[in-house]
Amino acid sequence: MSTILKNNFNSAIIGIGHPLFDLIVTNVDQEFLHRYQLESDDAILADNERHQILCDELIENFNDIQFVPGGSIQNTIRVAQWFFDQPNVCTIFGCIGNDDFGHQMKCKIEQEDHVKSVYCIDNTRPTGKCVCLINVDSNGSHHRSLITFLDACHGFRMEILQQNLSLFNNTRIIYTSGFFLISNPDCVQLLAELCRKSSNDIKFALNLSASYVVKNHSQRLLQIFPYVDLLFGNENEAFALAETLEWDKDDKIDDIVEKMAHLESKKTNRTVIITQGPDEIIVVSTNSFVQKFPVPSIPTGEIIDTNGSGDAFVGGFLAYHLTGHSMIDCINAGTYAAQQVIRCCGCTLPESNELRLSN
């Protein structure tokens, strides 16, 4: 770890995204899903008419609801902070409602996760939520159905960044997503330029987020790609990008990741990290060849919920990247975090961390 990081660790990693409050229910049956026209192993945006009373019904009828801070960027920031004893190494920006869910989430983020939160407050819309309904089939396998209510997430304002630019004085990594890019392109552009002009060599990290983001918003992604130092995604998103950019249909995943690393860049080097579930993780940098890292197997019976595992991987990776570790150490930290999360419901973390970093 460098001396600079030791002396200036506050807000060293800053995430900006859509903070959600996850409501997790573990014993939902198929009849309940069908009543709300939901499918197992699916993720959708809420339909206000169809899903309006869903949260109220869950709170009224299920006693075992877990309330966990969520949202892809916030998950990653929470996991990255989990690797440090020092509080406030990581900071999250986002927008929440002026309601009980928002107050609960801020309390949990700061007091339990030790993450600094900088939230806009939207007085007209409720805090965004992600309902995670888990059901178990006859074979004992766990399935999840995700319903996202973005609500106040849409209310993020540029002014909250401009009012808190001093927080970025010690920052080494800024992390955001394709999801946030769609709704707040001007904010993402501001942060990308901040990284490019910084004398501190701030790394700009981006997650592709979802295949539909890649397919439907490719122009916005291409506009921001030149600023990206660290690009995260999975194989489905990588293939979606190749299809959208009309690359050779015979390209294998290795070829696609290599092309992603060599897209136009305003930086000297870009690293692309693509996960493939239980299969090898592929890493390509502008200045290096394709690297592949195997993922340790985990017994199927220990897998409770894969929701948040990709976010957790990035969190572990960024924590170790921040502290100057090798690529294999960063991958191992990411994999370790992901495999801790999939043993739990939602992006929840055990108290112990075998790979915790000392400052």
Side-chain angles (χ1 to χ4, degrees):
M1 185 189 306
S2 69
T3 303
I4 293 176
L5 287 177
K6 282 184 178 179
N7 294 335
N8 299 288
F9 232 45
N10 286 335
S11 298
I13 302 175
I14 289 182
I16 178 168
H18 294 147
L20 303 171
F21 205 35
D22 287 355
L23 282 66
I24 305 169
V25 182
T26 57
N27 58 343
V28 174
D29 57 26
Q30 286 294 327
E31 181 183 349
F32 186 90
L33 294 180
H34 290 158
R35 184 143 49 88
Y36 283 98
Q37 299 178 39
L38 302 172
E39 300 289 340
S40 296
D41 300 318
D42 195 14
I44 64 170
L45 287 175
D47 180 313
N48 286 336
E49 183 176 341
R50 191 192 323 160
H51 302 125
Q52 185 175 15
I53 64 170
L54 174 60
C55 294
D56 290 340
E57 181 172 350
L58 290 173
I59 292 170
E60 182 178 344
N61 296 323
F62 290 86
N63 297 321
D64 61 344
I65 298 181
Q66 295 183 58
F67 298 94
V68 182
S72 62
I73 297 298
Q74 188 162 257
N75 284 341
T76 292
I77 291 300
R78 291 174 57 237
V79 171
Q81 179 64 54
W82 177 60
F83 280 84
F84 298 95
D85 291 322
Q86 177 185 328
N88 301 331
V89 172
C90 299
T91 295
I92 182 68
F93 278 78
C95 187
I96 62 175
N98 187 14
D99 55 18
D100 185 56
F101 279 150
H103 300 153
Q104 283 189 57
M105 182 160 67
K106 183 175 178 65
C107 182
K108 285 178 176 288
I109 280 287
E110 295 185 345
Q111 296 184 16
E112 297 179 15
D113 295 318
H114 310 296
V115 169
K116 182 177 180 62
S117 67
V118 184
Y119 292 140
C120 297
I121 304 298
D122 188 327
N123 290 309
T124 63
R125 288 173 283 200
T127 296
K129 295 173 286 295
C130 180
V131 175
C132 178
L133 305 176
I134 300 174
N135 64 91
V136 182
D137 64 23
S138 57
N139 296 319
S141 297
H142 291 73
H143 303 271
R144 62 184 171 91
S145 182
L146 301 179
I147 312 96
T148 299
F149 300 77
L150 287 173
D151 291 322
C153 293
H154 291 296
F156 190 86
R157 303 184 299 277
M158 173 77 81
E159 66 193 56
I160 199 74
L161 285 178
Q162 296 168 333
Q163 292 167 359
N164 289 277
L165 285 177
S166 61
L167 282 178
F168 293 85
N169 290 339
N170 299 325
T171 301
R172 295 297 177 268
I173 300 171
I174 294 175
Y175 178 58
T176 191
S177 68
F179 290 141
F180 191 78
L181 176 64
I182 294 171
S183 59
N184 296 83
D186 292 343
C187 292
V188 174
Q189 185 67 38
L190 172 70
L191 295 173
E193 290 285 357
L194 179 67
C195 292
R196 186 175 70 87
K197 297 175 181 178
S198 169
S199 60
N200 295 332
D201 188 28
I202 303 175
K203 301 300 183 186
F204 183 64
L206 177 73
N207 198 303
L208 292 174
S209 296
S211 295
Y212 80 84
V213 171
V214 174
K215 291 178 180 178
N216 298 338
H217 303 278
S218 59
Q219 288 307 307
R220 282 190 178 171
L221 284 171
L222 289 174
Q223 288 170 5
I224 210 68
F225 270 4
Y227 299 87
V228 175
D229 297 290
L230 297 167
L231 182 62
F232 295 91
N234 61 38
E235 77 275 26
N236 293 330
E237 294 151 7
F239 279 115
L241 183 66
E243 181 182 349
T244 302
L245 298 182
E246 299 181 344
W247 289 343
D248 192 329
K249 293 182 179 179
D250 294 328
D251 278 350
K252 306 299 183 186
I253 186 66
D254 296 15
D255 304 315
I256 293 169
V257 180
E258 193 163 11
K259 288 182 178 180
M260 291 167 69
H262 289 89
L263 285 168
E264 179 190 354
S265 178
K266 296 180 182 292
K267 305 294 189 73
T268 57
N269 193 21
R270 173 189 297 129
T271 300
V272 181
I273 305 99
I274 298 296
T275 58
Q276 304 183 93
D279 296 328
E280 291 176 313
I281 297 165
I282 302 173
V283 178
V284 181
S285 294
T286 308
N287 300 328
S288 70
F289 297 106
V290 175
Q291 296 176 276
K292 294 186 177 182
F293 300 89
V295 175
S297 61
I298 177 172
T300 304
E302 295 183 16
I303 299 175
I304 302 300
D305 179 17
T306 57
N307 185 32
S309 60
D311 304 331
F313 171 82
V314 180
F317 186 101
L318 292 182
Y320 266 63
H321 185 79
L322 171 70
T323 47
H325 284 76
S326 66
M327 180 58 68
I328 182 62
D329 286 341
C330 292
I331 294 291
N332 287 342
T335 302
Y336 172 77
Q339 294 195 340
Q340 294 301 306
V341 165
I342 63 177
R343 289 178 164 93
C344 307
C345 291
C347 193
T348 54
L349 299 163
E351 287 190 17
S352 63
N353 181 340
E354 295 176 5
L355 299 184
R356 195 178 301 277
L357 294 156
S358 58
N359 306 329

